[in-house]
Amino acid sequence: MQLAVVALVVVALGGWTRHNPRACTADKTCSDPALPFCDIDGSLGGGRNECIAVTCTPGELAECRDFDAVVCDASGENYAVKTCERGCDDEAGCLVTPSNNLLAYYEMVDTRADLIVDGGTIDTSTGAITGNPNVASFLFPAPDGGVPIRVFVARRVQLGDVSVVASGTPPYPALAILATDEILVTTRLGLDVNATGSGTAGMFDDPPCRSSNFLRSGDDIATIAHPGAGGGAHATAGAAGGDIVEFPDKEYPTLVGGMGGTPSGSAELVPLRGGCSSGSETAVGGRGGGAVQLTSLAAIRIEGKIDVRGDSGAPNLNLTDFQQSSLTGGGAGGGILLEAPIVILGDNARLLANGGAGGSRQGSGIPNEVAPAQGAPCTLTDCGVGGNGATATVPATAGLGATYVEGGQSTGGGGGGGVGRIRINADDAQYTKAVTTIEVGVVTTGVVAR
């Protein structure tokens, strides 16, 4: 009898199930913050249906599960499972659909090279990149209301102290970089005036956002009186140029400065384009800021500066040429489009799409990264001070007029340029930025398409 009881106890003990504290719940979730992710099939370092600790790089793909991508979240301490409408690539994760109809270029490149530039140049006219001859590029034709786009397709991208130029003739192609891995900007990505001084990559110069100079020429007053040109526009308007007043014995006692450009373009930066210039594209100074699109299937991290500020107006260099001498307004800020599942703007990140300042006969407008660009001063009695460029919160100001002084060559100040656009598309239309991040432009957000 005693043996039977012992056997019964052994059988009963053998039937007990010991609880695994790391086991996922029935709905494949985990309750312990230290073990936040359920490893369903044991492929991420745990057992099947086991909760695991996570240390990962934000935006990094862990694995594909059919049409789902397991991706490191912004904290680097958990994974997020994303459903991919277009499927999951074992290298790139969910296939993001780039804005501006650029998806086909991803699929045209089978082997993608890394794009690493530190202290070099990207030329959107030729496709040449300092030290990176193997990165594929294509030229996307200009759509209605936009500009051509030089599209580079790469794997991992790291940019530091990069000057983007367009070495050819108008129209100047904007820059787009499509990456399957992370895009990192470490110091500066600047869309600069090209070597010939004639344009920036992606600047847009069609009316009505391009401002005007004083257009009446051929009159004898053209050599002695020069109203200022207006500033270019983009997200916000450009300001007017300064007048010349009290002109004696003429049919027109006041010579009115050029009008500022009117806002144009779209908040989504579709089509992609930059800011508009002051007056004619042949002007010295006052060019619109350029346009850049960075699209990553993984993540974008900005630790430095992306600079698409409008060019500030230059001094009147040729007072015998009426058309040239009045073109001194500021160019409008350009366009910055960032799109990835995760977008992170770090402590030193600066997205700059300020409007340029107006020039005067004595000098060029003075750029500024945070405050409005300052109009050029003028200490003479017959010239006007340039207007200030716009920021997201401060509109452009008009150039000051001048009173005609007999025997002089009176000049009005150029108007300031309008501010540009910043568009960020990310998962749930949410991106991360540090307290010290600076964004100068009209900022809008959207959901990354994938």
Side-chain angles (χ1 to χ4, degrees):
M1 182 65 179
Q2 187 176 7
L3 290 175
V5 171
V6 172
L8 182 61
V9 171
V10 170
V11 171
L13 289 173
W16 286 356
T17 300
R18 184 177 180 182
H19 174 68
N20 179 3
R22 300 173 67 97
C24 304
T25 64
D27 61 354
K28 309 301 183 184
T29 60
C30 299
S31 58
D32 186 348
L35 306 169
F37 189 75
C38 179
D39 191 357
I40 294 175
D41 57 8
S43 60
L44 298 175
R48 292 177 63 86
N49 294 318
E50 183 178 24
C51 294
I52 61 172
V54 177
T55 300
C56 57
T57 302
E60 183 179 56
L61 175 70
E63 65 178 5
C64 289
R65 296 176 178 173
D66 296 326
F67 269 70
D68 290 339
V70 180
V71 180
C72 183
D73 71 7
S75 72
E77 297 177 349
N78 201 356
Y79 293 121
V81 179
K82 308 289 186 181
T83 298
C84 308
E85 293 184 7
R86 297 190 56 255
C88 185
D89 182 271
D90 289 332
E91 177 183 329
C94 286
L95 297 176
V96 170
T97 302
S99 296
N100 291 299
N101 297 315
L102 303 184
L103 176 62
Y105 296 112
Y106 264 134
E107 299 172 343
M108 291 169 64
V109 181
D110 294 328
T111 303
R112 306 172 186 105
D114 288 346
L115 172 54
I116 312 295
V117 186
D118 189 1
T121 299
I122 297 174
D123 189 330
T124 62
S125 294
T126 64
I129 306 177
T130 301
N132 289 261
N134 298 321
V135 176
S137 80
F138 308 87
L139 187 62
F140 180 77
D144 290 342
V147 297
I149 305 172
R150 174 64 63 176
V151 184
F152 295 93
V153 182
R155 185 171 56 186
R156 182 175 68 91
V157 176
Q158 182 172 314
L159 305 172
D161 191 21
V162 177
S163 179
V164 180
V165 299
S167 62
T169 58
Y172 305 107
L175 170 67
I177 298 176
L178 312 181
T180 56
D181 208 330
E182 180 187 64
I183 296 177
L184 170 63
V185 177
T186 59
T187 53
R188 179 181 183 270
L189 174 64
L191 278 72
D192 302 326
V193 174
N194 69 28
T196 62
S198 58
T200 51
M203 62 181 274
F204 189 75
D205 249 352
D206 290 352
C209 79
R210 188 178 72 186
S211 64
S212 64
N213 62 326
F214 179 72
L215 295 176
R216 184 167 59 84
S217 60
D219 194 296
D220 62 340
I221 63 172
T223 60
I224 55 176
H226 309 269
H234 192 184
T236 63
D243 304 334
I244 305 297
V245 298
E246 298 183 14
F247 198 89
D249 303 324
K250 294 294 178 182
E251 182 181 357
Y252 302 98
T254 297
L255 301 181
V256 179
M259 296 184 297
T262 58
S264 63
S266 74
E268 296 82 10
L269 284 174
V270 176
L272 183 65
R273 47 151 290 190
C276 280
S277 299
S278 164
S280 167
E281 64 191 18
T282 61
V284 177
R287 306 162 189 84
V292 57
Q293 173 177 334
L294 303 180
T295 303
S296 169
L297 302 187
I300 294 174
R301 189 156 47 97
I302 309 298
E303 298 292 347
K305 179 192 309 180
I306 300 180
D307 190 348
V308 296
R309 287 177 289 174
D311 196 22
S312 288
N316 298 79
L317 300 179
N318 183 359
L319 291 178
T320 63
D321 182 340
F322 177 74
Q323 295 285 77
Q324 180 77 3
S325 65
S326 65
L327 298 175
T328 59
I336 300 172
L337 171 57
L338 307 178
E339 52 186 6
I342 297 173
V343 177
I344 301 172
L345 306 182
D347 292 338
N348 297 313
R350 295 190 172 198
L351 306 183
L352 306 176
N354 320 46
S360 75
R361 192 161 90 223
Q362 285 191 314
S364 299
I366 304 168
N368 197 310
E369 290 192 357
V370 180
Q374 295 298 298
C378 194
T379 60
L380 303 175
T381 58
D382 60 348
C383 74
V385 173
N388 296 339
T391 67
T393 57
V394 180
T397 61
L400 296 185
T403 300
Y404 172 71
V405 176
E406 188 172 359
Q409 290 182 311
S410 303
T411 55
V419 77
R421 302 184 187 276
I422 299 170
R423 177 72 175 190
I424 301 178
N425 296 328
D427 279 350
D428 303 320
Q430 300 292 320
Y431 66 100
T432 301
K433 65 178 180 178
V435 174
T436 52
T437 291
I438 294 173
E439 299 161 292
V440 184
V442 174
V443 181
T444 60
T445 60
V447 177
V448 66
R450 59 187 186 138

